[in-house]
Amino acid sequence: MASSRKQRPLRDLLRVKPGSKVDAAKLDPGETYGYRKDDVAPKLAADLERLAALQERLWAEHKRRLLIVLQGMDASGKDGTIKHVMTGLHPLGCRVIGFGVPSAEELAHDYLWRVHQVVPGDGEIAIFNRSHYEDVLVVRVHDLVPKSRWSKRYDQINAFEQTLADEGTTILKFFLDISPDEQLERFKERYDDPTKRWKFKTGDLEERKRWDDYMAAYSEALGRCSTEAAPWYAIPSDRKWFRNLAIAEIVADELERLDPRYPAREDLPKDLVIE
Ligand code: AMP
Ligand code: MG
């Protein structure tokens, strides 16, 4: 598509409809909705500019908060998204939080404890690289807690996210959907490239064997936890350029909808002048 002007907003195309049943294994990770790699650079640049300008207003306004959740299989592009989409953001007012294997202290608390501490404050954008969803993904796939515990978490997560939303946080959740073939390609690339090897862990190959279990877990997380207050977006991510394009547009559109405003000028007392 040469011009994307008349294209339907990607947020409408990629949003997981609340209450819908999802089969993550059946989504097409290679879909590009008519966009072509060679044509999209100007649109991406424009959206990144829009994003940067709106973030400055969000920070200046200092009233509302934005939480971005990135989830996906290994090598699905969570780090890449942060690098390519969030680069234009001003470090003031923007934080990236990675969630790895919980520490002993974190494990000694409920699973939302470590999450709640780092949600965005007024004016901030917080980007979660993995999130509380790991507690219904890796935890479920590996039976790290009994089913009787993890199965209650979908409702708990919805309630938690609703609370954040009611208190002024906008939430956008992105599932970066890649195919097993693309993952393998990226693993090989990581392994062969000395500058990328650090990202590859032998354990990643073990996880890969559980692909179907992960897709079942993602299906349930996306289906049950895409809500009006905190929608999931399923982002076809085999093509990095499309992934970046989609996320940049959706985040910029959401900020535009919020329409953050620079605070009004304070009236100076009559006897004070700036000179
Ligand atoms: P990476 O994103 O490559 O740095 O890896 C982080 C690792 O931490 C992944 O293998 C996740 O599955 C794991 N992880 C994140 N959250 C949890 C959790 N709540 N319980 C167990 N493992 C987790
Ligand atoms: Mg990894």
Side-chain angles (χ1 to χ4, degrees), residues 73-75 78-79 130 187 190 198-201 204:
M73 299 294 282
D74 285 313
K78 300 180 290 296
D79 294 358
R130 301 185 191 268
F187 279 175
R190 284 182 175 186
W198 61 276
K199 285 190 170 217
F200 179 79
K201 298 185 188 77
D204 293 350

Side-chain angles (χ1 to χ4, degrees), residues 187-205:
F187 279 175
K188 283 183 188 151
E189 206 181 301
R190 284 182 175 186
Y191 192 66
D192 291 340
D193 180 345
T195 68
K196 291 187 177 169
R197 199 167 295 156
W198 61 276
K199 285 190 170 217
F200 179 79
K201 298 185 188 77
T202 9
D204 293 350
L205 291 173

Side-chain angles (χ1 to χ4, degrees), residues 7-262:
Q7 184 78 340
R8 256 182 89 190
L10 289 164
R11 52 179 295 148
D12 295 346
L13 294 166
L14 301 176
R15 185 164 161 272
V16 176
K17 243 177 80 205
S20 62
K21 221 174 147 40
V22 177
D23 185 346
K26 291 220 174 90
L27 300 168
D28 179 2
E31 176 67 78
T32 62
Y33 294 96
Y35 286 102
R36 289 209 322 253
K37 187 180 182 185
D38 292 345
D39 301 331
V40 295
K43 173 175 161 51
L44 178 63
D47 280 342
L48 291 182
E49 221 169 277
R50 208 154 56 99
L51 191 56
L54 285 159
Q55 185 224 350
E56 262 195 61
R57 276 161 50 185
L58 186 79
W59 179 245
E61 182 192 70
H62 226 74
K63 283 191 179 144
R64 289 170 292 171
R65 313 148 186 178
L66 177 63
L67 171 60
I68 297 173
V69 170
L70 299 176
Q71 279 289 163
M73 299 294 282
D74 285 313
S76 59
K78 300 180 290 296
D79 294 358
T81 301
I82 293 167
K83 184 169 169 181
H84 295 286
V85 179
M86 314 302 172
T87 37
L89 301 183
H90 198 304
L92 253 185
C94 182
R95 273 186 300 133
V96 177
I97 303 102
F99 291 94
V101 178
S103 67
E105 191 188 19
E106 287 167 349
L107 282 174
H109 294 79
D110 70 87
Y111 67 100
L112 291 173
W113 180 75
R114 67 173 180 167
V115 179
H116 208 162
Q117 298 179 57
V118 290
V119 297
D122 285 346
E124 268 190 324
I125 298 182
I127 301 160
F128 283 5
N129 187 349
R130 301 185 191 268
S131 65
H132 44 297
Y133 282 94
E134 291 294 329
D135 294 284
V136 288
L137 294 166
V138 66
V139 167
R140 164 178 163 154
V141 169
H142 287 276
D143 298 315
L144 298 181
V145 306
K147 182 173 183 182
S148 57
R149 262 173 76 191
W150 62 250
S151 61
K152 289 187 184 146
R153 291 181 174 177
Y154 301 95
D155 292 339
Q156 292 164 355
I157 287 173
N158 286 342
F160 171 63
E161 292 177 351
Q162 183 69 55
T163 304
L164 296 182
D166 290 345
E167 295 286 323
T169 304
T170 297
I171 305 171
L172 299 173
K173 301 181 299 201
F174 297 107
F175 166 52
L176 310 189
D177 180 32
I178 56 165
S179 61
D181 289 350
E182 177 66 19
Q183 188 196 47
L184 194 61
E185 278 308 305
R186 293 186 189 180
F187 279 175
K188 283 183 188 151
E189 206 181 301
R190 284 182 175 186
Y191 192 66
D192 291 340
D193 180 345
T195 68
K196 291 187 177 169
R197 199 167 295 156
W198 61 276
K199 285 190 170 217
F200 179 79
K201 298 185 188 77
T202 9
D204 293 350
L205 291 173
E206 289 299 321
E207 289 308 286
R208 184 179 153 72
K209 291 185 190 154
R210 299 174 187 257
W211 193 274
D212 294 346
D213 294 341
Y214 271 106
M215 287 309 110
Y218 268 108
S219 299
E220 192 157 357
L222 266 64
R224 291 185 63 182
C225 301
S226 195
T227 57
E228 294 295 341
W232 271 109
Y233 294 87
I235 309 293
S237 297
D238 271 3
R239 296 183 173 87
K240 295 173 182 173
W241 61 266
F242 182 78
R243 173 201 77 205
N244 293 341
L245 185 86
I247 295 178
E249 181 189 294
I250 293 169
V251 177
D253 281 359
E254 188 63 30
L255 281 173
E256 211 152 70
R257 198 185 60 76
L258 289 177
D259 194 17
R261 299 295 172 101
Y262 286 110

